[in-house]
């Protein structure tokens, strides 16, 4: 590729980066997206999209590209305690469960269709500001962009290099995810609760369920991470078996279906940014901040934040795309994140206290309309 000038350079080919690419290209901007991994690469993800996120996928022209056999609608959220106590709330509209690889494939196809250039196996090596542009050095080319969008995930290198990273001091949380070839047993996303561990079960298609374990690192400070990682008992497979033992109600449901994906891990989950924008630069998706996967709002938050950015991008570029012109995105993304973070931290606070957790589930089971109301006020609407 020859040196060129573009409007928007996006680093990261997940749902957030691709949503920006699609909408920015539809608005007439010249867009290039760079993803360091190969096309079709898998990644740990809860794979549930709440109703407002589904609306964004429909508006982007992505929902229609998802084959019915590769996704499934879900109607509610069900919490199941270790003693069998459960409560279930209904969403105001259906959510969508879909394998992340299928969602990203459909979004990449749509991005190319509307004119965005999507480059896989092409990471960003460095960038600098000069002459009113971002000068980028990728693995294949040099180019200038009027704005750089960082959608490079939880461990965002660009968030750190831009000086926007903030240390998170709360207990660290981690996740593992795998899929099983069997028919879902419910149209709800299930969250099984145990001491320091949760199992998040998503019906991703008519013959497949995704299971993600989320846990708190209670061993922090007892031994260096590298020493624990060398322990053969802490391989992903061994960790998975150990975590599954925490859920005697869930294990039999998975025995009839063989695993159909590799175990993928993520974490620490909580990340924070002191700001989401600087001159000619914006963070979007998990790179802009994340709390936890327990409420299933992650993909929806990424899609809504991407939409907030692309709405203001054309005007911001005309006016220089400095921090002041990107401020409307900063405010809207902060508002969305506050709502998500408040709900997520409230849920985490409750589930970490067994007596409070059981009492809350009993209350919600007795008054399901309250649960429905809580879901209607989250990012689900």
């Amino acid at each position: 590729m020859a040196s060129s000038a573009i409007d928007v350079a996006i680093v990261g080919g997940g749902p957030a980066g691709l949503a920006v690419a699609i909408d920015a290209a539809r608005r007439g901007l010249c867009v290039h997206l760079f993803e360091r991994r190969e096309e079709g690469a898998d990644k740990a993800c809860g794979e549930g999209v709440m109703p407002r996120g589904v609306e964004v996928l429909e508006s982007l022209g992505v929902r229609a590209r998802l084959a019915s056999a590769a996704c499934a609608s879900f109607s509610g959220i069900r919490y199941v305690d270790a003693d069998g106590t459960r409560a279930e709330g209904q969403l105001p509209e259906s959510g969508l469960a879909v394998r992340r690889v299928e969602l990203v494939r459909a979004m990449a196809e749509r991005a190319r269709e509307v004119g965005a250039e999507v480059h896989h196996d092409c990471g960003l090596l460095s960038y600098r500001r000069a002459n009113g542009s971002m000068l980028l050095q990728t693995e294949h080319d040099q180019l200038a962009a009027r704005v750089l969008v960082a959608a490079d995930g939880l461990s965002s290198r660009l968030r750190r290099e831009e000086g926007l990273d903030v240390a998170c001091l709360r207990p660290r949380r981690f996740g593992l995810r795998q899929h099983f070839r069997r028919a879902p047993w419910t149209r709800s996303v299930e969250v099984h609760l145990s001491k320091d561990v949760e199992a998040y079960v998503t019906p991703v298609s008519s013959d497949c369920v995704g299971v993600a374990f989320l846990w708190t690192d209670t061993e922090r400070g007892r031994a260096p991470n590298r020493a624990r990682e060398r322990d053969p008992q802490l391989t992903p497979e061994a960790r998975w078996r150990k975590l599954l033992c925490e859920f005697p109600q869930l294990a039999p449901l998975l025995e009839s279906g063989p695993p159909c994906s590799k175990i993928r891990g993520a974490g620490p989950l909580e990340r924070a940014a002191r700001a989401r924008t600087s001159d000619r630069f914006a963070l979007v998706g998990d790179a802009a901040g994340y709390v936890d996967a327990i409420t299933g709002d992650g993909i929806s938050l990424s899609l809504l934040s991407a939409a907030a950015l692309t709405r203001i991008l054309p005007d911001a570029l005309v006016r220089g795309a400095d921090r002041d012109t990107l401020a409307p995105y900063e405010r809207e993304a902060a508002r969305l994140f506050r709502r998500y973070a408040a709900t997520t931290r409230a849920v985490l606070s409750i589930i970490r206290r067994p007596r409070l957790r059981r009492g809350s589930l009993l209350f919600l089971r007795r008054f399901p309309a309250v649960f429905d109301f809580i879901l209607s006020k989250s990012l689900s609407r």
Side-chain angles (χ1 to χ4, degrees):
M1 290 188 295
S3 179
S4 58
I6 61 176
D7 293 319
V8 185
I10 303 164
V11 176
L18 285 164
V20 173
I22 294 167
D23 205 20
R26 290 195 312 176
R27 294 172 186 271
L29 301 177
C30 178
V31 179
H32 283 237
L33 181 147
F34 303 94
E35 167 57 54
R36 62 181 176 80
R37 299 184 305 165
E38 64 182 9
E39 189 164 4
D42 202 0
K43 185 178 179 181
C45 178
E47 301 182 324
V49 186
M50 290 298 207
R52 285 191 67 192
V54 177
E55 291 176 4
V56 177
L57 292 178
E58 289 174 344
S59 72
L60 294 175
V62 172
R63 176 66 180 90
R65 287 179 168 271
L66 296 169
S68 58
C71 59
S73 296
F74 61 89
S75 57
I77 308 294
R78 176 188 294 170
Y79 285 96
V80 183
D81 207 352
D83 64 0
T85 304
R86 61 182 59 198
E88 185 166 3
Q90 297 300 306
L91 293 165
E93 298 173 25
S94 293
L96 180 70
V98 56
R99 284 287 304 270
R100 188 182 190 277
V101 290
E102 291 294 329
L103 177 60
V104 168
R105 176 198 58 77
M107 295 186 76
E109 286 181 359
R110 178 60 174 157
R112 293 187 178 103
E113 181 181 69
V114 296
E117 296 285 342
V118 179
H119 310 280
H120 286 91
D121 287 317
C122 184
L124 177 67
L125 300 178
S126 62
Y127 71 95
R128 62 186 177 88
R129 293 171 171 84
N131 303 319
S133 297
M134 288 289 201
L135 302 184
L136 313 178
Q137 177 64 62
T138 74
E139 293 176 353
H140 302 292
D141 195 12
Q142 294 180 347
L143 66 156
R146 298 167 70 191
V147 68
L148 173 61
V149 176
D152 53 339
L154 285 176
S155 302
S156 173
R157 174 175 66 89
L158 297 184
R159 183 181 63 227
R160 294 193 305 272
E161 291 184 358
E162 195 65 14
L164 300 178
D165 197 39
V166 176
C168 296
L169 303 179
R170 293 181 179 86
R172 298 184 306 172
R173 298 257 294 167
F174 295 84
L176 286 179
R177 183 233 66 197
Q178 190 171 32
H179 298 91
F180 294 83
R181 184 65 64 192
R182 62 145 297 159
W185 54 88
T186 175
R187 288 196 69 239
S188 291
V189 171
E190 282 191 340
V191 183
H192 293 253
L193 308 172
S194 185
K195 187 177 186 289
D196 295 321
V197 185
E198 302 86 51
Y200 184 86
V201 185
T202 306
V204 294
S205 72
S206 61
D207 64 349
C208 180
V209 296
V211 180
F213 290 120
L214 309 174
W215 75 93
T216 303
D217 180 14
T218 57
E219 297 180 343
R220 187 177 187 180
R222 296 184 186 179
N225 284 341
R226 286 172 297 194
R228 293 206 304 275
E229 290 169 357
R230 287 196 296 268
D231 187 337
Q233 294 185 354
L234 292 181
T235 62
E237 293 75 18
R239 172 76 75 176
W240 183 275
R241 291 192 295 270
K242 181 178 179 181
L243 292 170
L244 186 58
C245 289
E246 297 281 335
F247 303 96
Q249 297 181 65
L250 178 60
L253 296 172
L254 302 179
E255 289 176 355
S256 62
C260 55
S261 70
K262 293 183 179 180
I263 296 172
R264 302 287 181 181
L269 296 178
E270 184 168 7
R271 304 301 171 101
R274 67 181 73 258
R276 294 165 184 83
T277 59
S278 56
D279 287 350
R280 297 182 293 284
F281 182 91
L283 293 165
V284 70
D286 295 349
Y290 193 75
V291 178
D292 200 86
I294 191 66
T295 58
D297 280 325
I299 295 178
S300 293
L301 177 64
S302 292
L303 295 173
L304 291 165
S305 298
L309 176 59
T310 53
R311 275 196 300 271
I312 64 100
L313 260 185
D315 181 64
L317 287 170
V318 169
R319 297 191 289 144
D322 60 12
R323 190 169 181 179
D324 287 341
T325 59
L326 293 171
Y329 164 67
E330 180 81 54
R331 291 192 294 269
E332 177 63 10
R335 185 189 69 81
L336 289 167
F337 187 84
R338 282 195 301 270
R339 188 182 223 185
Y340 150 76
T343 302
T344 302
R345 289 185 176 126
V347 171
L348 287 172
S349 178
I350 291 170
I351 66 174
R352 287 168 178 162
R353 296 166 172 83
R355 293 179 64 182
L356 178 59
R357 181 177 74 212
R358 186 171 187 275
S360 298
L361 291 180
L362 288 171
F363 175 82
L364 293 174
R365 186 175 70 179
R366 184 176 179 185
F367 302 102
V370 175
F371 200 168
D372 297 348
F373 178 79
I374 292 170
L375 290 176
S376 73
K377 295 301 181 182
S378 72
L379 272 183
S380 62
R381 287 304 306 156

